[in-house]
Amino acid sequence: MFTILENKPLNSAVNKLIIKAEQIASSAKAGQFVVILIDDKGERIPLTLSDWDKQQGTITLIAQIAGATTKKLSQLKAGDSIAHILGPLGHPTETEKIGTVVCVAGGVGIAEIYPVAKAFKEAGNRVLSIIGARTQELLILQEEVKRFSDELFITTDDGSLGRKSLVTEPLKELFSSIEKSTHTKYPDLVYVIGPVVMMKAVSDLTKEYSIKTIASLNPIMVDATGMCGSCRCSVDGKTKYACVDGPDFDAHKVDFNELSQRLRLFNTQEKTVL
């Protein structure tokens, strides 16, 4: 059993949980995730490790209320327990010093970009971050991301905070300004995580400029061991499993249209449960 030390809403749709999990905290790295099972009658869901404290033996998970399990998770209180947490899972993000890295995230993906931006910065890279949400109320962790970013760009769909635009607009302007400059160069890497449509748009843009881009995929996942096949996706025409081969993949080789279709497979059943 894993004891919840804190569970508080960051906004109307997202909760932050701090959980005692000493073994997971001791080996967690940026880009990895866990699979939780609230109780023996529940379903298994993957959640990215947003933070961890090796000294305190705690992990931080940020969950968007998107289905029956995340709704139940949001209702747990400090002192309650989660039956099973498996992790850390997946390959850590490669965060060596390479130069300039642009981290792009949308929605709850901001919770997942935070440890990645932190790791790139601590490795000695120049980090530019672009984070976006539909509204100011839904934008999370801006101060945390800012702490590890040389520059932070904020966008909202309605203009209630930062710039009224999609995350791709400041990214495109950055590339355009570099294109006109004689003494600056394109970033060495773009890392993106968030809604599939956003990751595809970022990938299409960076492909025009031949900039290496990594996407952290978020497919449906069940056992997280590569056995069930739920998280399969197509990368460069080959079947990959996000749980054991990823979750990071070359964005320019990902079939985002297929990924989007697979994410909608259980919409009807989820609505029935809710």
Side-chain angles (χ1 to χ4, degrees), residues 2-268:
F2 297 83
T3 303
I4 296 173
L5 304 180
E6 181 180 317
N7 187 3
K8 68 175 184 180
L10 296 181
N11 55 45
S12 59
V14 177
N15 272 53
K16 173 183 176 182
L17 297 98
I18 299 178
I19 302 166
K20 194 74 172 177
E22 294 177 346
Q23 289 191 339
I24 297 174
S26 68
S27 56
K29 293 182 179 177
Q32 291 187 296
F33 63 95
V34 296
V35 169
I36 74 166
L37 184 65
I38 294 178
D39 54 48
D40 290 339
K41 296 181 180 178
E43 65 170 342
R44 299 158 62 98
I45 61 167
L47 292 171
T48 298
L49 287 159
S50 182
D51 206 352
W52 51 91
D53 187 323
K54 295 183 181 192
Q55 299 299 321
Q56 298 297 320
T58 60
I59 60 173
T60 299
L61 305 178
I62 292 180
Q64 182 175 23
I65 304 171
T69 298
T70 46
K71 182 178 181 180
K72 186 174 183 178
L73 186 64
S74 72
Q75 295 167 344
L76 298 178
K77 298 178 174 58
D80 290 341
S81 296
I82 294 173
H84 304 285
I85 302 181
L86 177 65
L89 300 168
H91 295 287
T93 299
E94 296 179 6
T95 55
E96 69 273 18
K97 185 177 180 179
I98 54 175
T100 299
V101 180
V102 180
C103 294
V104 185
V108 76
I110 299 169
E112 299 154 9
I113 206 75
Y114 165 60
V116 172
K118 180 181 178 182
F120 274 122
K121 187 62 185 171
E122 290 179 343
N125 295 286
R126 180 170 181 255
V127 176
L128 310 179
S129 297
I130 305 173
I131 58 175
R134 284 186 284 120
T135 67
Q136 178 180 3
E137 194 254 341
L138 296 176
L139 194 78
I140 60 172
L141 303 184
Q142 53 181 302
E143 289 304 318
E144 288 84 348
V145 176
K146 183 179 180 180
R147 197 179 308 140
F148 295 99
S149 303
D150 293 276
E151 291 186 69
L152 173 64
F153 304 87
I154 293 174
T155 70
T156 50
D157 292 1
D158 65 355
S160 53
L161 184 66
R163 177 175 175 170
K164 183 180 180 181
S165 74
L166 302 176
V167 294
T168 45
E169 289 192 27
L171 184 63
K172 184 173 180 57
E173 286 184 1
L174 174 66
F175 295 161
S176 297
S177 64
I178 294 172
E179 200 170 25
K180 297 172 184 174
S181 172
T182 57
H183 59 276
T184 55
K185 67 184 188 73
Y186 290 109
D188 299 279
L189 176 72
V190 172
Y191 187 96
V192 60
I193 184 165
V196 173
V197 65
M198 187 208 80
M199 292 194 288
K200 183 178 187 303
V202 169
S203 174
D204 289 344
L205 177 60
T206 58
K207 196 170 186 177
E208 291 178 25
Y209 292 87
S210 301
I211 298 171
K212 181 179 179 180
T213 301
I214 298 296
S216 179
L217 302 190
N218 52 357
I220 293 170
M221 201 174 287
V222 180
D223 68 3
T225 65
M227 297 294 288
C228 73
S230 297
C231 66
R232 68 179 180 272
C233 47
S234 294
V235 181
D236 199 21
K238 300 174 184 174
T239 297
K240 297 288 183 181
Y241 300 95
C243 63
V244 293
D245 297 320
D248 290 355
F249 294 99
D250 183 339
H252 297 162
K253 297 179 179 178
V254 172
D255 186 337
F256 286 107
N257 292 328
E258 180 194 73
L259 177 62
S260 181
Q261 290 174 0
R262 289 189 58 78
L263 282 170
R264 294 194 295 268
L265 279 177
F266 301 106
N267 280 0
T268 301

